[in-house]
């Protein structure tokens, strides 16, 4: 009796929520075993990993979602197989290059951290997670393009966390942050194999070539810039706290960011449902159809964002208590980040609309402006306010970026409606 699109959104959100719960459990386990300072080193190393994971694929995962989503609208399975194979191989190659760069530059990177020796050791292992991580991103993008958001959430994120947490508890908990990173590498590697087999099973049958196909590198630079900006939601704060603050501040902020993950995942779940629909409507639909899809996505994102905002604000104190001693100070940074992430979740489909309808350059320009703004704000606030300053900088820049992106999306829809042949397929 519920609208089919709402069911898709709730399915994606349920699996994203389960993934968030698993990541939360992983953070609790790590904080209990490692303590504030050691987990700060871990979060610093993972911030470098996130940067490598964002930089290396050069925007190809978003291109993959667009091309697979458009091909799936016409059941062009031969094209889907070709895109999946090409995207995965290129992302793995780029991931290997990024891993080599991190290994070669680990001493320079670690020199910016409060504890250079610890950071260098952590980075030595973190580099090896980048290659399988890039492969996981490519294969997850194929699933998203096929409309398999639930499978993408479970296999692309939850499985990694389950394997990493289990292996850490069973055999690596005595080796500190090094064991935590090694467990994460194991999780990424096993997940890559499982994803590859599952995607192959999904796309192995069927024929048909898409009549209109773009290169994966078409708009890739714009997608790349957008992806780079996204890591600033939490990784940039941890990275700059390691440079300008203390290891303990990095640990506190990292925990606050992990606790705020459900709202970030909420935004991603709604976008994941509508991204292939935006791409399909742009390729073979009309302005009215695209506008309808966008309005529907905003209804779902606004409702779920409001509900999650209230729920997480109420549960903040007891949830932080699970992390153990020393993490009570994360409550204020968490509440500040919660506001920014709620705004991002509410207007999240705007960015997806621009990306999937050929206007990724709008998001790229907004991202180009937001990333240095975030660096400046973190530089000004961290020395005086520590983790709270990083949260204010992250949340403030995120809100401005999201609202500007929404304004651009509405303007794009209005321009499509004014086209001289509004009843034909969009170009």
């Amino acid at each position: 009796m519920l609208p089919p699109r709402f069911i898709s959104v709730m399915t994606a959100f349920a699996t994203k929520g389960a993934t968030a719960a698993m990541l939360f459990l992983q953070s609790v386990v790590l904080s209990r075993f490692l303590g504030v300072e050691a987990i700060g080193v871990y979060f610093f190393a993972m911030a470098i990993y996130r940067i490598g994971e964002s930089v290396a694929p050069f925007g190809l995962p978003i291109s993959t979602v667009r091309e697979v989503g458009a091909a799936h609208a016409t059941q062009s399975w031969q094209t889907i197989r070709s895109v999946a194979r090409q995207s995965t191989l290129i992302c793995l190659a780029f991931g290997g290059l990024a891993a080599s760069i991190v290994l070669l530059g680990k001493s320079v990177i670690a020199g910016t951290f409060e504890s250079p020796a610890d950071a260098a050791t952590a980075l030595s292992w973190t580099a090896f997670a980048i290659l399988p991580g890039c492969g996981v991103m490519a294969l997850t993008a194929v699933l998203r393009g096929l409309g398999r958001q639930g499978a993408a959430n479970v296999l692309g994120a939850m499985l990694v966390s389950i394997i990493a947490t289990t292996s850490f508890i069973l055999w690596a908990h005595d080796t500190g942050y090094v064991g935590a990173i090694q467990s994460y590498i194991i999780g990424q590697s096993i997940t890559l194999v499982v994803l590859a087999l599952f995607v192959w099973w999904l796309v192995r049958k069927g024929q048909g070539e898409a009549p209109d196909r773009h290169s994966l590198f078409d708009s890739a630079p714009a997608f790349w810039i957008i992806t780079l900006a996204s890591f600033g939601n939490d990784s940039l704060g941890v990275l700059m706290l390691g440079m300008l603050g203390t290891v303990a501040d990095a640990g506190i902020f990292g925990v606050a960011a992990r606790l705020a993950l459900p709202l970030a995942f909420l935004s991603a779940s709604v976008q994941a449902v509508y991204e292939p629909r935006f791409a399909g409507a742009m390729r073979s639909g009309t302005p009215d159809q695209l506008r309808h899809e966008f309005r529907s996505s905003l209804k779902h994102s606004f409702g779920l964002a409001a509900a999650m905002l209230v729920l997480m604000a109420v549960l903040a104190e007891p949830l932080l208590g699970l992390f153990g001693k020393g993490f009570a100070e994360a409550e204020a940074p968490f509440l500040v980040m919660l506001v920014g992430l709620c705004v991002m979740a509410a207007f999240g489909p705007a960015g997806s609309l621009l990306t999937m309808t050929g206007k990724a350059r709008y998001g790229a320009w907004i991202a180009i402006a937001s990333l240095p703004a975030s660096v400046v704000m973190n530089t000004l606030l961290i020395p005086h306010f520590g983790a709270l300053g990083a949260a204010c900088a992250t949340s403030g820049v995120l809100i401005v970026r999201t609202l500007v992106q929404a304004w651009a999306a509405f303007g794009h829809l209005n321009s499509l409606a004014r086209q001289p042949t509004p009843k034909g397929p969009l170009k």
Side-chain angles (χ1 to χ4, degrees), residues 340-361:
L341 287 169
C342 180
V343 174
M344 182 192 72
F347 289 99
S352 295
L353 177 77
L354 294 173
T355 300
M356 294 293 114
T357 58
K359 298 299 179 181
R361 64 181 182 275

Side-chain angles (χ1 to χ4, degrees), residues 29-319:
V29 170
L30 291 177
S31 66
R32 288 282 184 175
F33 277 103
L34 302 181
V36 176
E37 293 193 358
I39 204 172
V41 176
Y42 171 81
F43 283 142
F44 178 82
M46 293 307 295
I48 299 299
Y49 163 77
R50 297 298 178 195
I51 295 172
E53 185 187 52
S54 300
V55 172
F58 196 68
L60 294 184
I62 304 180
S63 293
T64 302
V65 174
R66 181 193 63 189
E67 291 307 305
V68 171
H72 190 241
T74 56
Q75 298 296 296
S76 304
W77 290 100
Q78 186 64 34
T79 298
I80 293 172
R81 286 194 291 271
S82 176
V83 171
R85 181 171 57 252
Q86 184 181 12
S87 175
T88 303
L89 291 176
I90 295 174
C91 286
L92 284 172
F94 285 172
L97 178 61
S100 301
I101 293 173
V102 172
L103 284 173
L104 292 173
K106 64 181 180 181
S107 298
V108 176
I109 300 171
T112 64
F113 195 62
E114 185 185 19
S115 303
D118 292 336
T121 302
L123 290 175
S124 297
W125 286 101
T126 302
F128 292 103
I130 296 177
L131 189 149
C134 289
V136 168
M137 287 183 66
L139 292 169
T140 302
V142 175
L143 293 180
R144 288 169 57 196
L146 291 172
R148 300 272 185 158
Q149 282 75 35
N153 296 339
V154 172
L155 296 180
M158 185 189 295
L159 184 60
V160 176
S161 183
I162 291 175
I163 296 172
T165 305
T166 302
S167 61
F168 178 75
I169 293 174
L170 292 179
W171 66 271
H173 60 272
D174 291 331
T175 55
Y177 57 83
V178 172
I181 297 171
Q182 291 172 340
S183 298
Y184 188 77
I185 295 171
I186 293 171
Q188 287 281 46
S189 301
I190 294 176
T191 297
L192 177 61
V193 174
V194 173
L195 267 173
L197 293 174
F198 183 67
V199 170
W200 171 82
W201 180 78
L202 284 177
V203 306
R204 70 191 189 284
K205 296 181 180 179
Q207 300 298 322
E209 288 279 354
D212 183 18
R213 175 184 169 186
H214 300 104
S215 165
L216 282 175
F217 288 94
D218 181 58
S219 299
F223 296 156
W224 182 60
I225 294 171
I226 293 169
T227 305
L228 277 178
S230 67
F231 91 87
N233 291 348
D234 61 341
S235 298
L236 183 61
V238 172
L239 189 62
M240 296 197 68
L241 278 167
M243 298 176 181
L244 304 174
T246 66
V247 179
D249 281 335
I252 289 170
F253 180 82
V255 165
R258 295 304 180 273
L259 187 57
L261 271 177
L263 269 176
F265 277 1
L266 163 62
S267 177
S269 65
V270 176
Q271 292 176 56
V273 169
Y274 282 95
E275 279 175 348
R277 303 200 64 84
F278 292 156
M282 188 65 187
R283 187 69 58 88
S284 59
T286 64
D288 287 341
Q289 180 183 349
L290 188 60
R291 185 182 294 273
H292 172 74
E293 293 287 357
F294 185 54
R295 287 177 175 173
S296 177
S297 69
L298 288 179
K299 288 179 183 178
H300 293 143
S301 61
F302 266 78
L304 292 174
M308 286 300 296
L309 173 65
V310 174
L311 180 64
M312 294 302 294
V314 171
L315 296 178
E317 186 175 350
L319 287 176

Side-chain angles (χ1 to χ4, degrees), residues 380-406:
L380 293 174
L381 296 177
I382 285 176
H384 300 287
F385 303 103
L388 180 59
C392 290
T394 301
S395 189
V397 173
L398 183 60
I399 290 172
V400 174
R401 175 189 167 196
T402 300
L403 294 180
V404 172
Q405 200 165 244

